[in-house]
Amino acid sequence: MSHASPKLHNAMWPGLVGKEPNTENPPISLDRMLELTAGASVNGVKFDGIDCFLFHPHTDPDADEATLKAMADKVAGYGFKIGSLVAPVWPGTVGDSAMGSAESRQKFVLAVEKACKIAKILNKHGVREYGVIRIDSAAGAAGWFDDPVGNTKLIAETWREAGKVAASYGERLAAEGEICWAGMHSWKDMVNLLEETGMPETVGFQADLAHTYLYLMGYNSPESALLQSGYADEEFWPAYKKMTDALRPWTIDFHVAQNDGTVHGTGSHDKTGKHCPADDPNGKLDIVKCAGYWLEGAQERGIQHICWDGCMFPNAMLETQQTWNTILDTMIKVRNAHGWN
């Protein structure tokens, strides 16, 4: 059955994450990512919009209103909406560690405020009608282990301050669960951090199929593993249900993705879940079935769109139009199975 919702978005940051100038895989411009997204079509169905990364070279977080409106006009010119926005919370962008010094944590909150200001301009323009501001802890997992309780409290304190800013703009923050981020490196610690933050109306979870698969395997947190290597299919689904039951109530943003069970890092990006092509023969996930576990009750949690995330693909793969048709086809199958009207 076909459905009108959720809307299908493509992420722009695969053109940036893991990309480095003067290498075989340099950054891909926002204009080119828009072209590739617009070129995808499956039986007349196309992407409805994009999710954006708010940092150079795609978007200047300090851009003036006229510049942002020009970008919005360009996106709208393709018939696209803009959904979720990734706040530049990391050291070297606007922000800094959410469990760092007072100055670092102030930078983190500032990055969220800049993202909210951009969101307000895009909302006023009309190109953005839904979506969240995406964050993480902007600190590597290794340092968290020095003081798990204290560092969790510190990150939660930073997130509460950022949440107050977001709420003042009518925005919500979604923390992307990846094994590389402090306090977010396991499903149990992720739940603990969200509960410690204690702002369920404003600060929630962003679930990515590729990243959350590694939660099951206990990378960076063996004591939290729900599966062991070589598991049987009949072991997988109860484990998947346990994880998603814990995190789904917090989930306000969702990424369709595939994972081959390995960790991966490219460029300046630390080891994390390896995104694979939607039709990768080594993929560990039944994408459509797994998506259903996260999308149960999605409307009630305010989810209006889903987004594809495929970071660290070689540029040659990203710039092949068939790649995006295959991705779009997978997104359509997810919506057909779990969508609504």
Side-chain angles (χ1 to χ4, degrees), residues 77-254:
Y78 284 101
F80 291 154
K81 294 293 184 180
I82 295 176
S84 296
L85 305 173
V86 180
V89 294
W90 307 280
T93 59
V94 174
D96 209 333
S97 171
M99 66 177 194
S101 65
E103 181 182 5
S104 295
R105 290 182 283 119
Q106 286 173 356
K107 288 180 180 178
F108 185 101
V109 176
L110 176 63
V112 170
E113 184 173 12
K114 287 181 184 288
C116 290
K117 287 180 177 178
I118 292 173
K120 184 177 181 179
I121 292 169
L122 299 177
N123 295 346
K124 184 179 178 182
H125 175 279
V127 75
R128 185 171 181 267
E129 300 175 343
Y130 48 79
V132 301
I133 307 294
R134 186 157 67 79
I135 62 169
D136 49 53
S137 58
W144 177 87
F145 290 98
D146 296 338
D147 181 8
V149 174
N151 284 327
T152 293
K153 289 184 179 297
L154 205 54
I155 296 166
E157 181 182 324
T158 307
W159 282 7
R160 280 194 296 273
E161 291 304 309
K164 291 173 189 175
V165 171
S168 73
Y169 282 87
E171 295 289 339
R172 295 192 295 172
L173 305 179
E176 183 180 29
E178 292 191 58
I179 61 167
C180 59
W181 300 126
M184 308 172 66
H185 55 283
S186 81
W187 67 274
K188 282 187 177 180
D189 292 305
M190 186 73 249
V191 172
N192 288 341
L193 180 51
L194 290 165
E195 291 177 345
E196 181 71 31
T197 303
M199 296 180 72
E201 299 302 315
T202 303
V203 182
F205 183 65
Q206 190 269 302
D208 177 294
L209 289 180
H211 296 316
T212 53
Y213 175 80
L214 296 190
Y215 276 174
L216 296 172
M217 306 306 296
Y219 287 95
N220 280 354
S221 181
E223 65 276 12
S224 302
L226 297 174
L227 292 171
Q228 300 299 321
S229 182
Y231 61 83
D233 193 59
E234 57 267 25
E235 295 175 287
F236 177 85
W237 296 109
Y240 207 73
K241 184 178 188 302
K242 182 173 182 177
M243 177 184 68
T244 54
D245 282 353
L247 285 166
R248 184 177 55 251
W250 295 94
T251 301
I252 58 174
D253 204 38
F254 178 63

